[in-house]
Amino acid sequence: MKIGGKLLERKTGGRSRYWQVFWLCFAVAAALFLPHCIIDGLNGDFFHYAGDFNDQQISFYSYANNFVKQGGSFSWATDLGSGFVNSYSFYLCGSPFFWLTLLLPYRWTPWAMVPMLCLKFAVAGGGAYLWMRRWVKDERWSMVGACLYAFSGFTVYNVFFNHFLDVVALFPYMLKALDDAVLDRRHGAFPFWVAVNLLNNYFFFAGQAVFLMIYFVCMVAGGRYKLNLRLFGALAFQTVLGCCMGSALLVPAALSLVQNPRTIDPFNGYGYLVYGSAQQYLAIFYSAFLMPDAPYLKDLFQEGILKHTSMTVYLPVVGIAGGLVFCRVRRRHPFARIMKVCLICAFVPVLNSMFYALNSSYYARWYYMPVLVLCAATAMTLQKANLCETEYRRALGLVALCTLSSIAFALVPNEKDGTTTIGVVEEPLRYWGILLVSMLGVGLFWLLLHYRRQLAARFPAAVLAVVLGFSFVYGQVHLSITKYGQWYHDADYVQQTWREAPELNAVLPDDVFYRLDAYDSYNNLGLWLDKSCIQFFNSTVAPSILEFYPTVGVKRDVNSKPEASLYALRGLLSVRYTLVPKEKVEDWEKEKLEGWNLVSSTTSYLIYENENWVPMGFTYDSYITEENFETVSDTHAGNVLMKALLLTDEQVERYGQMMQNLTDDEKNNISYEDYVQDCTARRESAVTSFTATRTGFTAQADLEAENLVLFSVPYDDGFTATVNGVPTEVEKVDNGLMAVAAPAGHSEIVFTYHTAGLRQSVAVSAGAIVVYAVWVAVLHRKKRREESSVG
C-alpha cells in the first residue's frame, strides 16, 4: 500500500505473535522477581521492595480492596479523613489491574503484587508488539522491539512506583488504535483506549495527550498520515467521545486538584528555559547510557532534582544505538522527528513540564512514550543487514565512548573540608557496578553485531535471547540495589504492618472514635488498621489538609508527619493512642512527653494512651481572628487552637456573639499546664456521641447555648450537614477544619459526604458509553453491508 508516494512500512495482517510476546515477558518478569520472593518467603513474608512500593502501593492496594468491597465514599483511614475517590484515583481507582485484585480477599492482596507486576510487564510487551508490527516488516524484530520496551530502564525503574507501570502497559494500545483509525479507517478501538487510559490515570493522560499531538503532527508532516476534513472530523469526534467515556473520575479529581497547592507551582524567569543546576543536564544525558540507579539514590550527581523522577531512557543491550542510526539514515521519518522533538523537550524545562500541565516540579515520567518510539526505530534498523554492518558499528562506538566518559566523575579530584578525595560519586562501588553492567550490555551487542553473518537467519532470535537474558541480569542488579539498600530499614515491614494489624485491632478499643499516632513507624500504619492516623503518606489527600498543617507547624507535601513535640495537635485532632515500635522506645522516652501512659502492648508495639485525649466534636468559649492568629508562632499554634476557634472576619460577624474574643493574655498562656486545662474544657463541651461512617459521620450534642461545634475533619466541598434534620451551612474554620452551628439543647448533627462532581462525571461517562455502543453497532452494520456487497 502506498501513501504519499512512499511505502507504508507494514499493514497489520498475518499471524500475530502477540501471545508469544506476552508470555515471554511474563516469564522473564516472573524470573526477575522470583529470587527476591524466595528470600522474603524464607521469613514467611510476601515480596516487599522499598520506599513508595512498600509505604504506598502495598498498603493502598490492600486497603482499597477492603474499602471498595464494603462500599462508601469517605475514607477515615486516609490522613485526617479524605474522599476515597479523590485520594486514590491517581493511584488505583481506575486501574484495571487493581480491579482484578478484587477477586481476592483483601488480606491476600499483598501476595498478589508480584503476579500483577508480571502481568503489567506482559501487557506492556504485548501492546508494544501490536503497535510495532505495522512499522517493522519482520515479525521477529517486532518481538525484539516489544521486549525492549517491556524491560526498558523506565519500566524496571518504576517497579518502585508500581502504578506507573499501569500507564506503561496500556499506552501502546492507544497508539496502535490511533494508527488503525488513520491508516486503516478502523475507528472502533480508538475511543475505547482513550477512555481506558484516561480512566486509568488522569495525571499521565495529560502527558499522553501532549505526546499524541507531537506524534500526530510529525506523522502528518512526514506524509504517513494523509488527512482530509472528513477524517479529521472523525478523529476529533472519537477523541472527544473517548475522553467523555473515561471521565468518570476526572471531574472529582479536577475539583480536588485545583485546590491542591502542589499542582499550582508555576515557573518564573530563567526557570522556563534553564534548569537550576548544570548537573541536571548531565543527569539527563547519561540516563540514556547507564542502567538506572535506585530511585531514591543519587550516584553520579548530587545537585539538581534527581531522586524519584523516573529519569531514564535506558534500553537493555542496544541502548540508544538504534535511535542514533535511525536519526542518521532516516532523518525525514516521523519517528526521527518525534525523538528529536522529545529530546529538545527533555532539555528545556517549560517543554518538559508540558507533560505535567506546566508545573515547575521536575519529573521525567513521560519518557516511556519516546522510549516506545525508540524501541520501534531500533527494531526497524536492526532488520536491515547493511545498517548492522556499517552504521550500527559507528553508533555502538559512540555509545561505548559516552558510557565510559562517566568514569571522569569517578576519578576527578574532589576537595571537601580540607581533604582531597578521588571522584565525586556518592557511592563508588555502586557506580562501578552500574558501569560494569552497562558496559556488559554494550559488549554483548558488539558480539551480536560481530557474529551477525554467522548467525544469519538466527540473528533476530539471538538478539531477542540476549535482550531477555541481559534484562534479567541488569534487572536483578537494579532490584537488588533498590531492595537491599533498604534491607535493614524494611526488615520488619511485614511483621509491623500486615501481621501486626489483627493483633493491634484486637487490643485497641472500638467503642468510640479516636485517632492514632505512630511514632517513627512504617508509613500508613493506619491503613492496615482501618483507623485514622496522623502519620500518613499520600500526596492526593483532601486539599484542606495541605492548607491546615503548615499553619500549625507541620510541613505537608507528600506526607503528614507532625513531630511528637507538637503535643497540642494531639488534643486538637483527638489522638488517643500512640503506637511505638519496641525498638524505638528509647527514642520515644527521650522526647520526655507528658501525659502519655503505657496501657498495652503487642508483639511489635507498645501502646501509650493520651490522658489529655479530647473526643471528636467540641465547642469553644472563645474565638481568635485570622489577623491575631498570624502573630502566633507555628510551634504554638496548636496550643492556641485548643483555646479558641479560628474564624474569618465574616464568620466573626455571624457567630462572634456566641463566644468571646481571645485576649492577648489568654493567647500567650501556652504552657503545658494551660494545655491540660484547655483539654479539660474542650472535653466538658464535647458532643455526647460521635459515630464515623463510610459516608460521613453523625454526632449527638447537648449544648447550654447556641454555638459552633468543631470537628477536626478536613473541609471538603463534598460534605453537606443537617442539624436536627435541617440543612446547615458547613463552615471552614481553623484553616481547613469543619464546624456547624448547633442550637441550645439536644441536637442531632449529620454530615454526609458525596464526592463532588462524581455524579456528573459518571453521567457523562455513561451517556458517552451509550453513544459509543450505538456508534460501534452502526460501524459494524456498515462493514457487514460492504462485505455483502463485495461478496
Side-chain angles (χ1 to χ4, degrees), residues 378-505:
T378 301
M380 291 168 68
T381 50
L382 278 173
Q383 68 185 356
K384 296 188 177 295
N386 62 316
L387 297 181
C388 291
E389 294 293 334
T390 55
E391 297 293 340
Y392 256 102
R393 292 182 182 275
R394 298 175 186 172
L396 186 59
L398 181 58
V399 169
L401 179 64
C402 291
T403 306
L404 289 172
S405 69
S406 65
I407 294 176
F409 298 98
L411 301 179
V412 66
N414 182 34
E415 185 174 340
K416 187 176 181 180
D417 298 330
T419 302
T420 300
T421 58
I422 300 299
V424 293
V425 297
E426 187 173 275
E427 181 54 57
L429 185 61
R430 191 171 64 234
Y431 161 74
W432 287 110
I434 289 173
L435 177 66
L436 178 64
V437 174
S438 302
M439 286 305 300
L440 174 62
V442 174
L444 289 172
F445 195 30
W446 181 86
L447 287 174
L448 285 169
L449 294 176
H450 182 73
Y451 289 103
R452 187 191 182 286
R453 291 188 177 182
Q454 290 90 322
L455 291 168
R458 294 174 295 169
F459 183 55
V463 173
L464 179 61
V466 171
V467 165
L468 293 176
F470 182 76
S471 294
F472 173 81
V473 172
Y474 104 87
Q476 285 294 341
V477 173
H478 178 81
L479 292 180
S480 297
I481 291 174
T482 306
K483 177 178 173 64
Y484 303 111
Q486 290 192 346
W487 176 252
Y488 292 106
H489 177 271
D490 294 329
D492 297 321
Y493 173 77
V494 177
Q495 173 59 40
Q496 293 189 14
T497 55
W498 183 80
R499 282 202 190 94
E500 199 76 14
E503 189 176 354
L504 282 168
N505 278 329

Side-chain angles (χ1 to χ4, degrees), residues 47 84 140 215 228 313 334 343 350 411 545 588 625 695 702:
F47 171 78
F84 178 80
R140 297 172 300 172
Y215 183 87
N228 54 44
V313 292
L343 180 65
V350 69
L411 301 179
I545 294 176
W588 164 260
T625 64
T695 56
D702 288 302

